[in-house]
Amino acid sequence: MRAVVQTVGRACVTVDGEVVGEVTDGLLVLLGVTHTDTPETARTMARKVHELRILDDERSAADTGAGILVVSQFTLYGDARRGRRPSWTAAAPAEMAEPLVTAVVEALRERGAPVATGRFRTHMLVESVNVGPRTLLLDL
């Protein structure tokens, strides 16, 4: 599992002109799933994201109660080392990825995090205002 975590002043996901998820003063998490990921990987990712000390004064979303916007992003497993057309073979198929993205979201909510999401298998417009900017890659 791979995540790009950004501190944001605001971020939102729009599908067909409707805002389906948004957060202010929190984290935007672009989340990719690969073939070897499991529900345990999802729980570990949720813990790392929630406890990641990336916010002001080295605080975490767990410390501050900051909201988290989770957006599925299979392209995090794109491989363009052999030319200009990326290969997506390392990305898990949607049938495997969707339940694991949901597992991360549910694990974050179980930890008390306010979580918003994008919408799986749709064309999403993701907007964000990065704070800092602070961006970190988590790779499990």
Side-chain angles (χ1 to χ4, degrees), residues 12-16 20 70-73 117-127:
C12 70
V13 178
T14 304
V15 176
D16 294 329
V20 297
V70 177
V71 180
S72 175
Q73 188 81 21
T117 65
R119 191 171 292 159
F120 210 87
R121 293 188 190 193
T122 62
H123 181 75
M124 296 179 280
L125 299 177
V126 181
E127 298 178 68

mmCIF file of all heavy atoms in Angstrom, residues 12-16 20 70-73 117-127:
data_model
loop_
_atom_site.group_PDB
_atom_site.id
_atom_site.type_symbol
_atom_site.label_atom_id
_atom_site.label_comp_id
_atom_site.label_asym_id
_atom_site.label_seq_id
_atom_site.Cartn_x
_atom_site.Cartn_y
_atom_site.Cartn_z
ATOM 1 N N CYS A 12 -11.032 19.085 -1.631
ATOM 2 C CA CYS A 12 -12.347 18.516 -1.930
ATOM 3 C C CYS A 12 -12.268 17.646 -3.167
ATOM 4 O O CYS A 12 -11.368 17.766 -3.984
ATOM 5 C CB CYS A 12 -13.405 19.599 -2.082
ATOM 6 S SG CYS A 12 -13.236 20.613 -3.552
ATOM 7 N N VAL A 13 -13.262 16.757 -3.262
ATOM 8 C CA VAL A 13 -13.417 15.879 -4.416
ATOM 9 C C VAL A 13 -14.795 16.138 -4.996
ATOM 10 O O VAL A 13 -15.801 16.112 -4.279
ATOM 11 C CB VAL A 13 -13.304 14.393 -4.021
ATOM 12 C CG1 VAL A 13 -13.529 13.499 -5.229
ATOM 13 C CG2 VAL A 13 -11.955 14.112 -3.402
ATOM 14 N N THR A 14 -14.828 16.382 -6.305
ATOM 15 C CA THR A 14 -16.083 16.632 -7.006
ATOM 16 C C THR A 14 -16.286 15.550 -8.054
ATOM 17 O O THR A 14 -15.351 15.196 -8.782
ATOM 18 C CB THR A 14 -16.044 18.023 -7.682
ATOM 19 O OG1 THR A 14 -15.769 19.010 -6.695
ATOM 20 C CG2 THR A 14 -17.357 18.340 -8.363
ATOM 21 N N VAL A 15 -17.515 15.019 -8.117
ATOM 22 C CA VAL A 15 -17.900 14.032 -9.130
ATOM 23 C C VAL A 15 -19.173 14.539 -9.788
ATOM 24 O O VAL A 15 -20.162 14.817 -9.102
ATOM 25 C CB VAL A 15 -18.138 12.644 -8.503
ATOM 26 C CG1 VAL A 15 -18.635 11.662 -9.555
ATOM 27 C CG2 VAL A 15 -16.869 12.122 -7.835
ATOM 28 N N ASP A 16 -19.144 14.695 -11.099
ATOM 29 C CA ASP A 16 -20.301 15.168 -11.864
ATOM 30 C C ASP A 16 -20.897 16.451 -11.277
ATOM 31 O O ASP A 16 -22.116 16.587 -11.133
ATOM 32 C CB ASP A 16 -21.386 14.083 -11.940
ATOM 33 C CG ASP A 16 -20.937 12.871 -12.736
ATOM 34 O OD1 ASP A 16 -20.131 13.045 -13.678
ATOM 35 O OD2 ASP A 16 -21.393 11.758 -12.414
ATOM 36 N N VAL A 20 -18.343 15.462 -3.219
ATOM 37 C CA VAL A 20 -18.643 14.210 -2.524
ATOM 38 C C VAL A 20 -17.810 14.020 -1.269
ATOM 39 O O VAL A 20 -18.116 13.165 -0.441
ATOM 40 C CB VAL A 20 -18.488 12.986 -3.461
ATOM 41 C CG1 VAL A 20 -19.480 13.066 -4.616
ATOM 42 C CG2 VAL A 20 -17.062 12.852 -3.973
ATOM 43 N N VAL A 70 -9.632 10.888 2.077
ATOM 44 C CA VAL A 70 -8.974 9.738 1.451
ATOM 45 C C VAL A 70 -9.504 9.582 0.024
ATOM 46 O O VAL A 70 -10.715 9.476 -0.177
ATOM 47 C CB VAL A 70 -9.230 8.446 2.257
ATOM 48 C CG1 VAL A 70 -8.596 7.245 1.548
ATOM 49 C CG2 VAL A 70 -8.689 8.584 3.677
ATOM 50 N N VAL A 71 -8.572 9.551 -0.932
ATOM 51 C CA VAL A 71 -8.926 9.426 -2.344
ATOM 52 C C VAL A 71 -8.138 8.260 -2.943
ATOM 53 O O VAL A 71 -6.908 8.259 -2.897
ATOM 54 C CB VAL A 71 -8.611 10.728 -3.119
ATOM 55 C CG1 VAL A 71 -8.973 10.581 -4.586
ATOM 56 C CG2 VAL A 71 -9.324 11.917 -2.488
ATOM 57 N N SER A 72 -8.839 7.284 -3.477
ATOM 58 C CA SER A 72 -8.191 6.158 -4.130
ATOM 59 C C SER A 72 -7.395 6.651 -5.333
ATOM 60 O O SER A 72 -7.874 7.469 -6.115
ATOM 61 C CB SER A 72 -9.256 5.161 -4.589
ATOM 62 O OG SER A 72 -8.655 4.129 -5.325
ATOM 63 N N GLN A 73 -6.172 6.122 -5.492
ATOM 64 C CA GLN A 73 -5.271 6.622 -6.529
ATOM 65 C C GLN A 73 -4.409 5.480 -7.062
ATOM 66 O O GLN A 73 -3.267 5.318 -6.657
ATOM 67 C CB GLN A 73 -4.388 7.723 -5.919
ATOM 68 C CG GLN A 73 -3.546 8.464 -6.891
ATOM 69 C CD GLN A 73 -4.321 9.535 -7.604
ATOM 70 O OE1 GLN A 73 -5.348 9.997 -7.158
ATOM 71 N NE2 GLN A 73 -3.808 9.929 -8.734
ATOM 72 N N THR A 117 -14.306 11.001 1.830
ATOM 73 C CA THR A 117 -13.723 10.174 0.777
ATOM 74 C C THR A 117 -14.098 10.694 -0.604
ATOM 75 O O THR A 117 -15.045 11.470 -0.753
ATOM 76 C CB THR A 117 -14.204 8.714 0.872
ATOM 77 O OG1 THR A 117 -15.606 8.680 0.630
ATOM 78 C CG2 THR A 117 -13.883 8.101 2.224
ATOM 79 N N GLY A 118 -13.347 10.201 -1.559
ATOM 80 C CA GLY A 118 -13.732 10.366 -2.952
ATOM 81 C C GLY A 118 -14.738 9.276 -3.275
ATOM 82 O O GLY A 118 -15.292 8.637 -2.381
ATOM 83 N N ARG A 119 -14.954 9.046 -4.548
ATOM 84 C CA ARG A 119 -15.891 8.005 -4.971
ATOM 85 C C ARG A 119 -15.150 7.063 -5.909
ATOM 86 O O ARG A 119 -14.669 7.479 -6.965
ATOM 87 C CB ARG A 119 -17.098 8.625 -5.662
ATOM 88 C CG ARG A 119 -18.217 7.625 -5.876
ATOM 89 C CD ARG A 119 -19.485 8.268 -6.360
ATOM 90 N NE ARG A 119 -20.068 9.098 -5.315
ATOM 91 C CZ ARG A 119 -20.929 10.085 -5.561
ATOM 92 N NH1 ARG A 119 -21.295 10.363 -6.801
ATOM 93 N NH2 ARG A 119 -21.421 10.792 -4.571
ATOM 94 N N PHE A 120 -15.058 5.810 -5.509
ATOM 95 C CA PHE A 120 -14.312 4.796 -6.248
ATOM 96 C C PHE A 120 -14.906 4.594 -7.638
ATOM 97 O O PHE A 120 -16.113 4.664 -7.832
ATOM 98 C CB PHE A 120 -14.350 3.477 -5.467
ATOM 99 C CG PHE A 120 -13.136 2.633 -5.676
ATOM 100 C CD1 PHE A 120 -12.017 2.808 -4.891
ATOM 101 C CD2 PHE A 120 -13.112 1.656 -6.665
ATOM 102 C CE1 PHE A 120 -10.897 2.028 -5.076
ATOM 103 C CE2 PHE A 120 -11.992 0.877 -6.870
ATOM 104 C CZ PHE A 120 -10.881 1.061 -6.066
ATOM 105 N N ARG A 121 -14.042 4.352 -8.619
ATOM 106 C CA ARG A 121 -14.393 4.058 -10.009
ATOM 107 C C ARG A 121 -15.167 5.190 -10.698
ATOM 108 O O ARG A 121 -16.022 4.938 -11.539
ATOM 109 C CB ARG A 121 -15.197 2.771 -10.113
ATOM 110 C CG ARG A 121 -14.421 1.539 -9.760
ATOM 111 C CD ARG A 121 -15.261 0.331 -10.085
ATOM 112 N NE ARG A 121 -14.637 -0.860 -9.530
ATOM 113 C CZ ARG A 121 -14.997 -2.070 -9.857
ATOM 114 N NH1 ARG A 121 -15.960 -2.281 -10.708
ATOM 115 N NH2 ARG A 121 -14.398 -3.088 -9.316
ATOM 116 N N THR A 122 -14.879 6.425 -10.330
ATOM 117 C CA THR A 122 -15.478 7.560 -11.020
ATOM 118 C C THR A 122 -14.376 8.511 -11.438
ATOM 119 O O THR A 122 -13.263 8.458 -10.925
ATOM 120 C CB THR A 122 -16.478 8.329 -10.123
ATOM 121 O OG1 THR A 122 -15.776 8.867 -8.995
ATOM 122 C CG2 THR A 122 -17.615 7.439 -9.660
ATOM 123 N N HIS A 123 -14.719 9.401 -12.350
ATOM 124 C CA HIS A 123 -13.793 10.459 -12.735
ATOM 125 C C HIS A 123 -13.938 11.569 -11.703
ATOM 126 O O HIS A 123 -14.982 12.209 -11.615
ATOM 127 C CB HIS A 123 -14.120 10.971 -14.140
ATOM 128 C CG HIS A 123 -13.201 12.044 -14.601
ATOM 129 N ND1 HIS A 123 -11.910 11.790 -15.015
ATOM 130 C CD2 HIS A 123 -13.368 13.373 -14.691
ATOM 131 C CE1 HIS A 123 -11.333 12.924 -15.354
ATOM 132 N NE2 HIS A 123 -12.197 13.895 -15.168
ATOM 133 N N MET A 124 -12.911 11.764 -10.892
ATOM 134 C CA MET A 124 -12.967 12.732 -9.797
ATOM 135 C C MET A 124 -12.125 13.953 -10.134
ATOM 136 O O MET A 124 -11.066 13.834 -10.742
ATOM 137 C CB MET A 124 -12.427 12.100 -8.502
ATOM 138 C CG MET A 124 -13.247 10.945 -7.985
ATOM 139 S SD MET A 124 -12.554 10.219 -6.487
ATOM 140 C CE MET A 124 -11.259 9.175 -7.167
ATOM 141 N N LEU A 125 -12.588 15.106 -9.698
ATOM 142 C CA LEU A 125 -11.788 16.317 -9.707
ATOM 143 C C LEU A 125 -11.343 16.531 -8.271
ATOM 144 O O LEU A 125 -12.176 16.690 -7.377
ATOM 145 C CB LEU A 125 -12.609 17.511 -10.189
ATOM 146 C CG LEU A 125 -13.157 17.405 -11.612
ATOM 147 C CD1 LEU A 125 -14.010 18.630 -11.936
ATOM 148 C CD2 LEU A 125 -12.024 17.276 -12.611
ATOM 149 N N VAL A 126 -10.045 16.508 -8.049
ATOM 150 C CA VAL A 126 -9.497 16.666 -6.701
ATOM 151 C C VAL A 126 -8.818 18.020 -6.635
ATOM 152 O O VAL A 126 -7.911 18.301 -7.420
ATOM 153 C CB VAL A 126 -8.494 15.545 -6.363
ATOM 154 C CG1 VAL A 126 -7.950 15.724 -4.952
ATOM 155 C CG2 VAL A 126 -9.138 14.176 -6.530
ATOM 156 N N GLU A 127 -9.282 18.855 -5.716
ATOM 157 C CA GLU A 127 -8.693 20.175 -5.516
ATOM 158 C C GLU A 127 -8.081 20.219 -4.127
ATOM 159 O O GLU A 127 -8.652 19.676 -3.181
ATOM 160 C CB GLU A 127 -9.759 21.258 -5.601
ATOM 161 C CG GLU A 127 -10.453 21.345 -6.943
ATOM 162 C CD GLU A 127 -11.531 22.399 -6.928
ATOM 163 O OE1 GLU A 127 -11.196 23.589 -6.834
ATOM 164 O OE2 GLU A 127 -12.710 22.006 -6.985
#
